[in-house]
């Protein structure tokens, strides 16, 4: 199968190098704003060279961001080309539009690398959905936050100090807002929940509380009480509604999440038949993400479809009043453990607090 | 797709119930030695009713053991029917024969549930192999041993006591030899290594040291030194050979394996591109294993093939002299930690020891 890769940054170049080693795939074109010595004349700056090339059956969009990624992907689909993308912003923001378009033009749209990076999480979530009822999903999906939290549990450093170190190492962006405030995790939660439960929820339906206010005192308290703090996405489907939220979560000794080091990810599903299945690995990086993109390409090239899982679509809105647990809350310098309360109520308390350094974390029982 | 299930024990009945909920699959026949009320007239005691039925395109062998499972599976393949089986004994013992036969008759042979039970380990190992070079695999694949070891780390019980409890709970068989002496793990190692590296090794090439001699004193020592003992399968491919072995292994604080509770499994691959990917879940049980069988059926029904991964076949024998680490050794009542030594040498020491209660465990650095 002849394909085109859009963008030659970290993920695009990783996907290109992995594709070179795969039989059955030929990268005919790479869209990039300048020449690249090792690519020779397959580079183009003109997207029409790709859209108008009927031999190119699939476009792997590795540009990132919403625009022009959306326009490029939409144009590819309308030209009858399959699309693979690791772009979580795009997939979360245009879930309905992209799926409707792909259905209309009869092409495949795959985005395994958009949540979990190198981990075949979304692929296995779809595969399991075929013969099981997915009840809940949860996981560590942001490597930057996990690196920061893991280091804070191991060394007596404060948040600003370790964030600066993470930026110096390239683990955190210059503007770290999307990671530490949980928006990256929120997008991956939207994508995972939509796929798991046949929903069409959007980012603004998933309340987020990030880790930007956590401090060394919080961590000390958690360690004293044998807890480890991780930023988790959570979503589930109950008889009377669905829940979805992102918040720091205290897990106890022996939890699998406790043992996730550095910038790794761990994501779990709970199914009616299968119980809990968890997937661990590198959630980002040139080769893990590049490989994940090419795996999707190979699936499409091999004709692997997901008919049964795709047929399930339900119309449910998020109601976080249906999910409850205890919380650790630090407000105006005072710490307390609450009685079990709904996620909706806790996130409302956080939003309304007048304390700019307010921090809370859900407690997993 | 119309299928037949051979056997209506724990796994066969689980597969049947899961199949009922899957679109695209109809269980036309169940081979069982007596009538089953809920199955009505689809039960047969005569295998010819299945073999001679051209509508049945796939046979899911859930009888277990080598015979007549092998004869039934071979006959199904020769009749042009695809085969799915969770039978690790069969797949490990007849690896070459069954693969050659399936190739010859152009049918699919899938056995995801044979190592890892409900965990899609073997499936993902094959999928990852398409665009990556698998360097090593390892994991906890025997729930009985993990239950025994986990309990011994949490409570001051000795081996015989907890084995009896595991038998009472149905976690261990009346004759627990295959589990506690590591033969079950050995078979899963053979299957995983053959699939990962394109090998054709047999059980007798994989040295095994089990957990039957571990005692409360060993566990106390491990805990004092912040180690957790798990029974692991290990295999890898290096430039100059392959290694494969089964032994109790001491993992340090923070290892993912440390957090695997009760009778669960955790299995990992390390790939050149992907780094380490780990898969966690239930390694046995009616519905986890039954679902895993039906997932394989659905893959075949959907035409999911693995051309690229299947083409890789290498002719390498096992040489455990190429893999070294330190060992904990208890012999004649004395404990010691060795210098790094080869796996081949350690297993030779174990085999030659005159101490009937000799125990050793590899130390993962």
């Amino acid at each position: 199968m002849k394909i085109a890769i859009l963008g030659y940054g970290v993920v695009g170049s990783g996907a290109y190098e992995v594709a070179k080693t795969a039989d059955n795939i030929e990268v005919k074109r790479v869209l990039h704003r300048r020449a690249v010595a090792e690519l020779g004349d397959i580079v183009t700056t003109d997207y029409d060279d790709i859209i108008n090339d009927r031999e190119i059956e699939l476009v792997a969009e590795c540009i990132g961001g919403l625009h022009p990624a959306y326009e490029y992907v939409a144009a590819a689909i309308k030209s009858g080309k399959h699309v693979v993308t690791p772009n979580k912003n795009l997939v979360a923001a245009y879930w309905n539009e992209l799926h409707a378009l792909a259905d209309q033009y009869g092409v495949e749209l795959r985005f395994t690398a958009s949540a979990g990076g190198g981990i075949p999480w979304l692929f296995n979530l779809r595969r399991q959905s075929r013969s099981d009822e997915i009840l809940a999903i949860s996981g560590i999906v942001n490597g930057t936050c996990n690196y920061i939290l893991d280091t804070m549990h191991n060394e007596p450093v404060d948040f600003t100090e370790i964030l600066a170190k993470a930026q110096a190492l390239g683990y955190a962006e210059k503007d770290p807002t999307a990671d530490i405030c949980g928006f990256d995790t929120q997008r991956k939660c939207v994508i995972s929940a939509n796929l798991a439960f046949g929903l069409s929820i959007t980012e603004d339906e998933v309340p987020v509380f990030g880790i930007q206010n956590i401090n060394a005192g919080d961590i000390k308290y958690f360690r004293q009480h044998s807890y480890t703090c991780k930023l988790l996405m959570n979503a589930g489907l109950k008889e009377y509604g669905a829940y979805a939220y992102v918040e720091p979560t205290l897990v106890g000794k022996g939890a699998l999440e406790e043992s996730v080091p550095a910038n790794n990810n761990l994501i779990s599903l709970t199914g009616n038949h299968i119980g809990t299945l968890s997937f661990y690995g590198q959630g980002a990086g040139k080769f893990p993400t590049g490989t994940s993109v090419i795996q999707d390409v190979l699936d499409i090239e091999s004709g692997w479809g997901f008919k049964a899982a795709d047929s399930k679509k339900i119309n449910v809105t998020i109601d976080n009043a249906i999910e409850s647990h205890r919380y650790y809350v630090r407000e105006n310098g005072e710490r307390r453990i609450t009685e079990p309360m709904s996620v909706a109520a806790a996130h409302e308390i956080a939003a309304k607090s007048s304390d700019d350094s307010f921090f809370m974390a859900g407690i997993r029982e």
Side-chain angles (χ1 to χ4, degrees), chain A:
Chain A
M1 177 186 269
K2 291 190 169 69
I3 72 168
I5 295 175
L6 313 188
Y8 200 69
V10 173
V11 178
S13 63
Y16 176 78
E17 290 188 38
V18 175
K20 278 201 301 187
T21 69
D23 303 334
N24 317 326
I25 295 180
E26 181 198 330
V27 181
K28 192 177 178 191
R29 284 289 192 183
V30 171
L31 181 73
H32 197 52
R33 58 186 172 276
R34 59 172 188 278
V36 180
E38 72 263 28
L39 296 182
D41 59 5
I42 71 168
V43 174
T44 177
T45 57
D46 185 356
Y47 191 45
D48 283 343
D49 287 346
I50 291 166
I51 284 295
N52 296 330
D53 187 335
R54 289 194 180 182
E55 279 193 352
I56 294 173
E57 294 180 62
L58 184 150
V59 166
E61 182 278 306
C62 301
I63 302 172
L66 292 181
H67 305 286
Y70 175 71
E71 288 72 23
Y72 283 173
V73 163
I77 294 173
K78 287 175 183 170
S79 303
K81 300 184 195 308
H82 305 298
V83 168
V84 171
T85 176
N87 186 337
K88 60 203 171 258
N89 301 35
L90 177 71
V91 177
Y94 291 99
W95 180 270
N96 282 333
E97 292 84 349
L98 292 176
H99 280 86
L101 212 54
D103 280 353
Q104 188 187 339
Y105 286 87
V107 300
E108 292 289 338
L109 169 68
R110 303 282 172 100
F111 40 85
T112 301
S114 71
I119 306 169
W121 154 245
L122 294 176
F123 176 85
N124 279 281
L125 179 59
R126 294 182 88 169
R127 184 172 181 267
Q128 188 62 31
S129 298
R130 300 179 308 177
S131 72
D132 206 352
E133 182 188 2
I134 309 297
L135 307 172
I137 58 171
S138 79
I140 298 166
V141 289
N142 184 276
T144 306
C145 289
N146 202 65
Y147 172 78
I148 290 172
L149 292 172
D150 187 42
T151 310
M152 287 181 78
H153 279 82
N154 293 328
E155 302 167 22
V157 290
D158 215 331
F159 183 79
T160 47
E161 194 181 333
I162 185 62
L163 175 59
K165 192 180 162 192
Q167 287 172 316
L169 286 168
Y171 287 175
E173 314 254 353
K174 270 187 194 166
D175 177 0
T177 313
D179 290 324
I180 66 172
C181 297
F183 303 127
D184 176 85
T185 301
Q186 182 191 40
R187 284 167 196 142
K188 292 165 179 169
C189 186
V190 165
I191 296 169
S192 301
N194 282 349
L195 207 56
F197 310 119
L199 303 174
S200 303
I201 60 171
T202 55
E203 292 169 42
D204 55 340
E205 291 179 70
V206 179
V208 174
F209 191 81
I211 65 163
Q212 66 272 30
N213 280 354
I214 198 169
N215 65 34
D218 297 321
I219 302 280
K220 191 175 166 193
Y221 179 92
F222 302 153
R223 289 183 59 102
Q224 281 167 350
H225 293 80
S226 294
Y227 283 126
T228 298
C229 184
K230 298 287 186 183
L231 184 67
L232 294 188
M233 68 168 189
N234 296 279
L237 192 62
K238 299 186 174 185
E239 259 181 74
Y240 40 92
Y243 62 88
Y245 58 94
V246 174
E247 64 186 23
T249 302
L250 305 184
V251 300
K253 282 277 169 223
L256 216 53
E257 287 85 354
E258 188 198 7
S259 299
V260 176
N263 59 344
N264 290 286
N265 289 189
L266 180 117
I267 325 175
S268 304
L269 65 83
T270 302
N272 187 33
H273 290 317
I274 201 70
T276 295
L277 272 184
S278 300
F279 302 86
Y280 166 91
Q282 294 183 29
K286 176 174 178 168
F287 286 109
T289 310
T291 302
S292 187
V293 167
I294 297 305
Q295 290 287 351
D296 275 354
V297 174
L298 287 166
D299 290 345
I300 294 173
E301 193 272 332
S302 303
W304 292 16
F306 279 105
K307 346 171 216 192
D310 284 345
S311 63
K312 185 186 62 177
K313 290 262 182 280
I314 60 170
N315 194 7
V316 171
T317 52
I318 295 301
D319 178 8
N320 285 321
I322 66 174
E323 185 68 6
S324 294
H325 46 253
R326 295 183 303 150
Y327 278 86
Y328 164 89
V329 172
R330 173 176 48 74
E331 191 170 19
N332 299 318
E334 301 210 344
R335 306 174 202 288
R336 61 194 169 94
I337 303 295
T338 71
E339 291 296 305
M341 64 191 299
S342 79
V343 171
H347 283 252
E348 201 177 320
I349 290 172
K352 287 190 178 160
S353 175
S354 59
D355 178 4
D356 285 345
S357 66
F358 178 96
F359 183 74
M360 71 175 187
I363 301 177
R364 193 161 76 185
E365 315 294 340

